[in-house]
Amino acid sequence: MPVRLPLDIRRRLVLASAFAVAVGLAVLTAAFNLLLGVRLERDADALLRSRADARLSTLALDNGRLTVEDPLDDARLSERAWVFDGRRAILRAPGSSRVQRAVDALVVSGATDARKIPDDLKILARPAFGRGGSPRLGTVVVSVSRRPYEATERTAFVATLVLDLLLLGFVVVVAGRTITAALEPVGRMTAQADEWSAHDPDGRFGLGPPRDELTALAATLDRLLDRVTASLRHEQRFSAEVAHELRTPLAGVRGTAELALRHPRPEAELRTALEEVVAGTDRMTRVVDTLVEAARADARTTVATSDARAVAGAVVAALRDTAGAEGVALELDAAGGEPRIGVEDALAAQILTPVIENAIRYGRSRACVAVAAGQGDVLVTVTDDGPGIGADEAEAVFAPGARGRAGSGVAGAGLGLALSRRLARAIGGDVAAGPDGVVVRLPSG
């Protein structure tokens, strides 16, 4: 069953189309009837002039007076003409008293333009002259009925009005069907997207390269759905992995506490147990803090900047006692300038801390932190003189809970590098392992 969009959209589009067509038809109709009226008036004036010329050709001069020499077939011409010798009528066409008065007034005024008079008539006065350019001897007035012309104008107006209504109805029907057909794919896309959101998040329109507006919309929505799906899968996977890794230290904390409570223990063993509990809670706190910071980084709209070397120096200073307890000399490479990063110092420190802790944990006697400006970013390279990370495990060590071959027998839950990379990528950076150590890439500020 085809999905239809709400009627309001189609109705608005159809009404807009109908309004535009109606305005256009109204303008065309008005212009046509105006031009037709002007043309009919000109035709009436031309007919009056031809009748006046015909009547003037029948006039003669007898002893200084005008006379009318009507041919036998000129009865109809006589019914439409008046002839005046001076101001004395020698021929009058039949008509009402109002018509006669209007004709007399035209002769008295001496006007020679066409005029409309009662009884739907139009009259024209033409002067009559003698031969050789003699003075004006009289006046000929002819008439024509305006009724046929007015009937033609009314018929044309009604015909154009009916034609406009028929054409407007046709446009409404065609526009309605065309708009419905054009919007039907959008309705189907809406229904499909709604169905996918509920049951099939992997569904895509798959209409191929954009060819028109609809296929461009489908391609854009496909890309949007790809990003949304990738984000959801990433969040789900990461949440599941973190939940799994939190379960391990939580179980250890609970087991240690239960074991310490089950039997009386020497103070030294009890202290060791409490230290393990504290270490486990520290690991869980770090996971939670990383998740919170990652969420804040995703939602952050303003970008803060900080001094990359100062941040690295603060982390090194904070971990120097830990490194001394492990017998590792922790150093900061102070060469170079003061590159700035587009990250808050607290967030940058949270990214660097797990990486530097790993160098302390696996280093034999020395660990070094170097800060250098890259191309559009800042690179913090952490190296140590330990066994290092093999090329075949350069990616595996960033999986939550995963540890390299060198991690056997070394304390840790395998979350440090995973959480550091997670937080770095949330702000547009990254963490990668290579032959020269672990490199933290942070966006420059």
Side-chain angles (χ1 to χ4, degrees), residues 34-66:
L34 179 62
L35 293 175
L36 178 63
V38 172
R39 182 62 185 177
L40 291 176
E41 289 293 333
R42 291 180 178 176
D43 289 346
D45 293 343
L47 180 59
L48 285 172
R49 288 192 295 269
S50 65
R51 286 181 178 180
D53 292 339
R55 172 51 65 191
L56 287 172
S57 66
T58 65
L59 299 183
L61 187 63
D62 185 12
N63 294 324
R65 292 181 175 274
L66 287 177

Side-chain angles (χ1 to χ4, degrees), residues 321-364:
D321 291 342
T322 303
E326 296 289 338
V328 175
L330 182 59
E331 301 173 358
L332 174 65
D333 186 355
E338 297 180 352
R340 299 195 64 81
I341 52 177
V343 185
E344 297 175 356
D345 51 2
L347 183 56
Q350 208 159 7
I351 296 172
L352 295 176
T353 299
V355 180
I356 299 175
E357 284 181 340
N358 262 25
I360 295 172
R361 185 177 298 114
Y362 292 101
R364 294 190 179 94

Side-chain angles (χ1 to χ4, degrees), residues 31-353:
F32 171 77
N33 284 278
L34 179 62
L35 293 175
L36 178 63
V38 172
R39 182 62 185 177
L40 291 176
E41 289 293 333
R42 291 180 178 176
D43 289 346
D45 293 343
L47 180 59
L48 285 172
R49 288 192 295 269
S50 65
R51 286 181 178 180
D53 292 339
R55 172 51 65 191
L56 287 172
S57 66
T58 65
L59 299 183
L61 187 63
D62 185 12
N63 294 324
R65 292 181 175 274
L66 287 177
T67 60
V68 179
E69 298 178 353
D70 272 342
L72 295 177
D73 59 349
D74 200 29
R76 290 182 59 84
L77 183 61
S78 298
E79 291 178 357
R80 301 186 180 93
W82 291 260
V83 179
F84 291 84
D85 183 7
R87 294 187 179 181
R88 180 178 62 86
I90 61 176
L91 177 66
R92 281 188 179 273
S96 65
S97 59
R98 296 184 304 170
V99 172
Q100 302 302 332
R101 287 194 297 269
V103 172
D104 292 341
L106 179 63
V107 173
V108 171
S109 67
T112 58
D113 56 327
R115 294 184 178 182
K116 296 178 181 180
I117 63 173
D119 294 349
D120 293 328
L121 293 176
K122 192 172 187 180
I123 59 176
L124 174 68
R126 295 286 293 274
F129 297 96
R131 295 179 180 179
S134 61
R136 178 174 179 172
L137 301 177
T139 305
V140 170
V141 180
V142 292
S143 68
V144 65
S145 175
R146 291 189 290 113
R147 290 175 182 173
Y149 300 97
E150 292 175 348
T152 300
E153 289 186 26
R154 288 194 298 270
T155 301
F157 177 75
V158 173
T160 53
L161 186 60
V162 172
L163 182 61
D164 289 347
L165 293 176
L166 292 176
L167 183 58
L168 184 60
F170 175 76
V171 168
V172 169
V173 173
V174 173
R177 293 183 177 179
T178 303
I179 292 172
T180 299
L183 292 179
E184 187 176 349
V186 179
R188 289 199 303 269
M189 291 168 64
T190 302
Q192 287 176 341
D194 185 63
E195 178 69 16
W196 294 338
S197 66
H199 304 99
D200 185 14
D202 293 329
R204 299 293 183 271
F205 298 110
L207 300 183
R211 301 180 301 276
D212 50 33
E213 289 81 358
L214 287 178
T215 53
L217 174 62
T220 301
L221 291 177
D222 282 345
R223 292 193 297 269
L224 176 61
L225 290 172
D226 287 339
R227 291 194 295 269
V228 171
T229 302
S231 178
L232 288 175
R233 285 178 175 172
H234 180 73
E235 294 298 331
Q236 291 170 354
R237 178 179 60 83
F238 185 76
S239 298
E241 291 170 347
V242 169
H244 173 74
E245 295 306 323
L246 280 177
R247 194 175 296 116
T248 300
L250 182 60
V253 168
R254 182 180 180 85
T256 302
E258 288 179 349
L259 186 61
L261 292 173
R262 186 170 300 174
H263 304 289
R265 307 292 295 273
E267 183 179 351
E269 293 184 9
L270 184 59
R271 183 178 182 84
T272 301
L274 292 176
E275 289 176 350
E276 292 178 1
V277 169
V278 171
T281 56
D282 286 343
R283 288 195 296 271
M284 290 186 289
T285 300
R286 182 178 300 171
V287 171
V288 173
D289 288 344
T290 301
L291 285 174
V292 172
E293 288 298 332
R296 289 176 179 171
D298 289 336
R300 188 174 288 113
T301 56
T302 58
V303 179
T305 61
S306 56
D307 185 344
R309 196 172 303 282
V311 173
V315 176
V316 168
L319 296 177
R320 188 153 281 146
D321 291 342
T322 303
E326 296 289 338
V328 175
L330 182 59
E331 301 173 358
L332 174 65
D333 186 355
E338 297 180 352
R340 299 195 64 81
I341 52 177
V343 185
E344 297 175 356
D345 51 2
L347 183 56
Q350 208 159 7
I351 296 172
L352 295 176
T353 299

